[in-house]
Amino acid sequence: MGPVSLLPKYQKLSNCKGDLAKMTHLQAGLSPETIEKARLELNENADVLHQDIQQVRDMIITRPDIGFLRTDDAFILRFLRARKFHQADAFRLLAQYFQYRQLNLDMFKNFKADDPGIKRALIDGFPGVLENRDHYGRKILLLFAANWDQSRNSFTDILRAILLSLEVLIEDPELQINGFILIIDWSNFSFKQASKLTPSILKLAIEGLQDSFPARFGGVHFVNQPWYIHALYTLIKPFLKDKTRKRIFLHGNNLNSLHQLIHPEFLPSEFGGTLPPYDMGTWARTLLGPDYSDENDYTHTSYNAMHVKHTSSNLERECSPKPMKRSQSVVEAGTLKHEEKGENDNTQPLLALD
């Protein structure tokens, strides 16, 4: 007779491909396809899910120097998913998540959407978040670099707005598994603006996004980049992991290569897609809420942003962003073409030039 399982009975899944593992409450709400993806790509096994989580939790005692402010099952699970259920790696990411917040206390004071700095960045479109996901179920984030008004938004506040947005989005278990895509449009981004991207603030961003946040980034795509963006390579290369470098792509102003990775039907017209132009206020209105007022103490943990209805209100008019510079992306007519390796550096990973 085999060992007796101490785990509760799991609900069996049906109407899905493959022999899926039994489901725990931590997988409730996931589609059968996503559960199967988690099993195949992330090594997620419902039969031992609670043991995996507990083993990560048991490691907390090894880092008494860090205040682990949240250690519930659902929270630890997102770190396991981000590190494909390698428990030691998941714990290291969990520790770095809280350590980053301890070392940068000012960034996380009043860390909510109605903080003045975060609110300005959100209203100015940092970041943009498309409503629909791509064909792999990934959420698409947009950054229009030229919209960075340095007299209005500090780089730190933009980073805070991005991190807050990710905190909201990562609550969705589907996105913990499917991940994110980031597209940065460098149209009209001036050399003067680029000169403000110092090694120290770039390092701060990389540490916050690459080393300390439990998100799976399937790709970072640069479009319409000027020549001096290439120079950023020498600044940030020491801080980037090899895995990260391989996922950063430079497309230039020919978006055929972008469309081979992200289908046009999931992209707004700025990126040669079939969707309408992106409304810079969309995500800000979602995050701030249709009934937002200065008196509201509205934080990212007090609601599910995925279910906020987009309705017209005084806030929508108040928070409508000033006219923004739009992307000048162009797509060549005709069939998308696959470029030969080395034929065009713009289709190569940005940070894998060596």
Side-chain angles (χ1 to χ4, degrees), residues 75-88:
F75 188 71
I76 291 177
L77 178 56
R78 66 187 63 171
F79 291 86
L80 280 163
R81 286 170 170 162
R83 290 297 180 264
K84 296 187 175 182
F85 279 78
H86 296 148
Q87 295 164 3

Side-chain angles (χ1 to χ4, degrees), residues 145-148 185-191 193 223-226 228 324-329:
N147 291 343
W148 180 21
D185 185 356
W186 297 98
S187 299
N188 302 313
F189 188 71
S190 69
F191 186 86
Q193 287 173 303
V223 299
N224 298 314
Q225 70 286 339
Y228 37 85
M324 295 290 181
K325 300 174 183 176
R326 308 305 297 175
S327 168
Q328 296 179 352
S329 306

Side-chain angles (χ1 to χ4, degrees), residues 255-269:
L255 300 184
N256 288 326
S257 57
L258 176 66
H259 293 165
Q260 290 166 13
L261 299 172
I262 308 173
H263 298 169
E265 57 264 35
F266 302 108
L267 295 171
S269 58

Side-chain angles (χ1 to χ4, degrees), residues 109-314:
K109 288 180 180 177
N110 200 37
F111 189 56
K112 52 189 179 180
D114 63 358
D115 171 82
I118 293 177
K119 182 178 178 181
R120 281 194 303 270
L122 290 170
I123 290 173
D124 286 2
F126 295 106
V129 180
L130 296 185
E131 181 178 355
N132 296 324
R133 303 171 189 183
D134 77 351
H135 53 295
Y136 291 118
R138 301 173 297 191
K139 201 70 171 174
I140 301 175
L141 278 62
L142 308 175
L143 293 176
F144 293 90
N147 291 343
W148 180 21
D149 181 346
Q150 295 168 356
S151 66
R152 175 176 166 84
N153 294 310
S154 69
F155 182 88
T156 301
D157 281 338
I158 290 175
L159 177 59
R160 293 171 72 218
I162 293 171
L163 288 171
L164 178 64
S165 298
L166 287 171
E167 290 281 4
V168 172
L169 292 167
I170 205 64
E171 291 289 333
D172 184 344
E174 292 270 344
L175 294 181
Q176 295 172 19
I177 294 166
N178 292 325
F180 300 87
I181 291 291
L182 175 62
I183 305 176
I184 306 177
D185 185 356
W186 297 98
S187 299
N188 302 313
F189 188 71
S190 69
F191 186 86
K192 181 179 179 181
Q193 287 173 303
S195 68
K196 302 297 184 181
L197 298 175
T198 62
S200 60
I201 63 173
L202 289 173
K203 185 172 183 288
L204 183 69
I206 292 167
E207 288 175 346
L209 295 170
Q210 172 188 260
D211 303 327
S212 308
F213 196 84
R216 304 182 68 214
F217 283 96
V220 179
H221 301 271
F222 286 17
V223 299
N224 298 314
Q225 70 286 339
W227 64 266
Y228 37 85
I229 293 303
H230 287 272
L232 291 176
Y233 169 65
T234 57
L235 295 177
I236 65 178
K237 180 181 177 181
F239 310 128
L240 291 173
K241 298 175 181 176
D242 182 65
K243 185 176 182 180
T244 303
R245 292 199 298 268
K246 291 178 179 178
R247 292 181 178 176
I248 301 181
F249 296 89
L250 192 65
H251 299 283
N253 57 12
N254 178 350
L255 300 184
N256 288 326
S257 57
L258 176 66
H259 293 165
Q260 290 166 13
L261 299 172
I262 308 173
H263 298 169
E265 57 264 35
F266 302 108
L267 295 171
S269 58
E270 292 94 328
F271 302 101
T274 59
L275 298 178
Y278 181 70
D279 175 0
M280 290 291 180
T282 298
W283 181 239
R285 289 190 292 271
T286 301
L287 211 55
L288 294 169
D291 299 320
Y292 173 82
S293 68
D294 288 339
E295 288 73 33
N296 285 345
D297 185 22
Y298 213 52
T299 73
H300 73 277
T301 57
S302 63
Y303 65 96
N304 184 341
M306 299 301 98
H307 294 85
V308 175
K309 294 181 179 179
H310 293 213
T311 58
S312 299
S313 65
N314 291 334

